[in-house]
């Protein structure tokens, strides 16, 4: 195989999708005319309804980002003491627990789904645990039925970080607490397939929880004369909500383009020993992730990462390091023994994946992977 030609400019793991500027400006003109800039204004309400309709759930509350949605969820459920959480997630999931003064307890993940394993949750349960937080990794659902069972048996609340799952179509959010948990959160950060630059949401099938979430989002203010609980400022501004509205029209086209890129990746990687595709095929169009089995592939993930980097392909080791290995958490007893998560974190690699890429770019990237596999190193 002849040496691949490096990309002229870096190809990053993602590139935010943008609506036509004119569409956004037209919405901003409405904002300018109304002088309503935030506090659940018309754009916010329109986006909240539109997202509820798309997901097929009634009780969606928008937030200013996914992290405050997670913190709102923990407060709405009044979690105390300790919360069992996956180590294989973005830091925000674990930080939300710790920032509120609670202690995370890590439980290992399932080898196949890469999500928190209900059997491992049972193993780490102690009296002070009040809740469970799982992440639908790359849009792959947690074992929601298994987690529901553990939660019911021990009287625990369940929060799902669904930051990766919104793009999935058809959506994964039935109005069903066995699947939604008590609360599911979303992120609309710029790097997600659907975004409002910054933004997030909570989903619940419980009207009382939904009411508490909305209070928490707005300083606990129930009425002009009544502050009912300790709340925060988690409101999505009109400028951000308008971006979300403009982006709603972009999702299906972006998914279709990504499907083309995914097909090129899948075709190019077929038959390469030691490379397994774990995201980018059906579960979600948010990421395209492979797992590198070092024995079968003949080199490890980090070495492949370096070769790709030398060719101007900026892949991401997503999620590596594990949250349990990060400075604030690495001394916790539960951080010490997570063999599956640790092995998985050393093998995953998110390849560049966005609609603006050509299928040709994807094929060139798979050629680099094959070239590396054939024993060439940079
Ligand atoms: C992006 C992301 C978040 C954080 O969301 P923000 O909107 O950036 O606060 C949380 N969890 C996961 C799994 C994410 O991917």
């Amino acid at each position: 195989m002849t040496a691949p030609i490096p990309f002229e400019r870096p190809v990053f793991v993602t590139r935010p999708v943008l609506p036509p500027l004119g569409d956004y400006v037209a919405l901003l003109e409405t904002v300018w005319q109304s002088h309503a800039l935030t506090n659940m204004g018309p754009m916010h309400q329109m986006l909240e309804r539109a997202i509820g309709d798309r997901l097929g759930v009634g009780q969606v509350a928008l937030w200013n980002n996914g992290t405050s949605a997670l913190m709102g969820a923990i407060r709405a459920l009044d979690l105390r003491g300790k919360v069992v959480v996956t180590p294989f997630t973005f830091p925000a999931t674990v930080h939300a627990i710790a920032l509120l003064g609670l202690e995370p307890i890590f439980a290992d993940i399932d080898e196949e789904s890469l999500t928190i394993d209900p059997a491992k949750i049972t193993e780490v349960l102690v009296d002070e645990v009040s809740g469970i937080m799982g992440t639908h990794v790359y849009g792959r659902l947690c074992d929601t039925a298994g987690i529901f069972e553990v939660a019911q048996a021990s009287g625990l609340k369940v929060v799902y970080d669904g930051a990766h799952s919104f793009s999935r179509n058809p959506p994964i959010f039935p109005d069903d607490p066995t699947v939604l948990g008590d609360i599911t959160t979303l992120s609309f950060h710029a790097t997600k397939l659907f975004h409002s630059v910054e933004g997030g949401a909570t989903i619940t099938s419980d009207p009382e929880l939904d009411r508490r979430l909305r209070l928490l989002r707005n300083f606990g203010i129930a009425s002009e004369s009544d502050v009912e609980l300790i709340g925060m400022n988690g409101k999505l501004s009109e400028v951000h909500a308008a971006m979300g509205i403009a982006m709603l029209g972009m999702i299906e086209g972006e998914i279709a383009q990504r499907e083309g890129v995914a097909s090129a990746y899948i075709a190019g990687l077929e038959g390469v020993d030691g490379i397994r595709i774990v995201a980018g095929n059906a579960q979600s169009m948010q990421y395209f992730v492979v797992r590198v089995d070092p024995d079968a592939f003949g080199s490890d993930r980090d070495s492949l990462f370096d070769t790709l980097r030398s060719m101007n392909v900026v892949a991401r080791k997503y999620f590596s390091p594990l949250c349990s290995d990060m400075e604030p958490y690495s001394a916790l007893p539960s951080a010490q023994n997570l063999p599956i998560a640790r092995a998985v974190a050393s093998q995953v690699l998110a390849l560049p994946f966005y609609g603006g890429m050509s299928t040709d770019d994807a094929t060139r990237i798979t050629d680099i992977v094959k070239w590396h596999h054939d024993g060439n190193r940079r």
Side-chain angles (χ1 to χ4, degrees), residues 65-67 70 89-90 92-93 135 161 163-164 187 189 192 199 287 318:
N65 60 61
T67 306
L70 283 165
T89 184
F90 186 71
T93 323
T135 295
D161 182 339
H164 298 179
S187 163
H189 182 257
K192 317 297 190 209
Y287 302 101
Y318 204 39

Side-chain angles (χ1 to χ4, degrees), residues 40 78 90 107 132 143 179 192 201 212 218 232 244 279 345 354 365 368:
M40 287 78 76
D78 204 15
F90 186 71
I132 301 168
D143 176 359
V179 180
K192 317 297 190 209
R212 282 177 62 83
N218 188 31
M232 59 200 271
Y354 50 91
I365 291 169
I368 297 168

Side-chain angles (χ1 to χ4, degrees), residues 43-358:
M43 291 292 164
H44 173 111
Q45 290 170 34
M46 197 191 302
L47 182 62
E48 209 164 63
R49 269 196 306 275
I51 287 174
D53 288 347
R54 189 174 191 277
L55 296 176
V57 288
Q59 290 160 132
V60 173
L62 298 182
W63 290 75
N64 56 357
N65 60 61
T67 306
S68 35
L70 283 165
M71 293 175 73
I74 292 169
R75 289 296 297 184
L77 292 165
D78 204 15
L79 297 189
R80 304 282 170 102
K82 301 180 178 182
V83 177
V84 179
V85 65
T86 177
F88 194 63
T89 184
F90 186 71
T93 323
V94 185
H95 287 346
I97 298 168
L99 271 168
L100 291 170
L102 311 183
E103 188 188 314
I105 298 186
F106 296 105
D108 211 348
I109 60 173
D110 175 73
E111 171 78 38
E112 281 310 306
S113 72
L114 312 185
T115 60
I116 192 165
D117 182 343
K120 302 288 168 48
I121 296 173
T122 309
E123 282 172 24
V124 300
L125 282 185
V126 288
D127 281 349
E128 303 92 321
V129 171
S130 60
I132 301 168
M133 285 176 76
T135 295
H136 299 317
V137 174
Y138 318 137
R140 302 152 66 107
L141 277 198
C142 294
D143 176 359
T144 54
I147 292 169
F148 184 75
E149 219 169 277
V150 174
Q152 289 292 104
S154 305
L156 306 177
K157 304 292 185 189
V158 179
V159 175
Y160 287 116
D161 182 339
H164 298 179
S165 359
F166 179 64
S167 59
R168 195 166 129 142
N169 208 6
I172 59 160
F173 305 108
D175 237 333
D176 175 353
T178 65
V179 180
L180 283 181
D182 293 283
I183 300 170
T184 292
T185 67
L186 303 176
S187 163
F188 304 144
H189 182 257
T191 55
K192 317 297 190 209
L193 190 153
F194 171 76
H195 72 86
S196 54
V197 183
E198 295 273 4
T202 49
I203 308 169
T204 178
S205 51
D206 179 339
E208 176 54 22
L209 271 181
D210 186 56
R211 198 183 74 87
R212 282 177 62 83
L213 285 162
R214 285 166 198 275
L215 286 172
L216 281 158
R217 178 178 71 182
N218 188 31
F219 312 103
I221 297 173
S223 72
E224 220 167 294
S225 56
D226 182 18
V227 174
E228 193 179 314
L229 45 73
I230 300 170
M232 59 200 271
N233 180 359
K235 292 172 276 121
L236 188 72
S237 82
E238 291 293 280
V239 171
H240 290 88
M243 186 65 170
I245 291 166
M247 279 297 302
L248 278 172
M250 305 294 295
I251 309 175
E252 306 311 332
E254 176 68 16
I255 288 175
Q257 281 182 303
R258 288 186 186 203
E259 278 169 350
V261 175
S263 298
Y265 271 137
I266 291 165
L269 295 172
E270 204 181 342
V272 181
D273 293 336
I275 294 281
R276 185 146 59 102
I277 296 160
V278 294
N281 45 2
Q283 282 95 357
S284 161
M285 281 291 125
Q286 175 89 45
Y287 302 101
F288 192 94
V289 184
V290 296
R291 241 178 110 170
V292 182
D293 172 347
D295 296 331
F297 186 64
S299 93
D300 63 12
R301 185 271 318 271
D302 289 347
S303 158
L304 174 61
F305 174 89
D306 291 342
T307 292
L308 287 165
R309 201 64 181 257
S310 75
M311 294 283 172
N312 248 341
V313 177
V314 188
R316 285 285 300 276
K317 304 170 187 179
Y318 204 39
F319 302 108
S320 174
L322 295 175
C323 289
S324 48
D325 286 337
M326 292 171 183
E327 180 71 30
Y329 308 114
S330 60
L332 291 174
S334 67
Q336 310 310 315
N337 187 26
L338 302 160
I340 297 172
R342 189 152 289 120
V344 169
S346 73
Q347 296 184 353
V348 285
L349 194 61
L351 299 177
F353 194 51
Y354 50 91
M357 279 175 71
S358 68

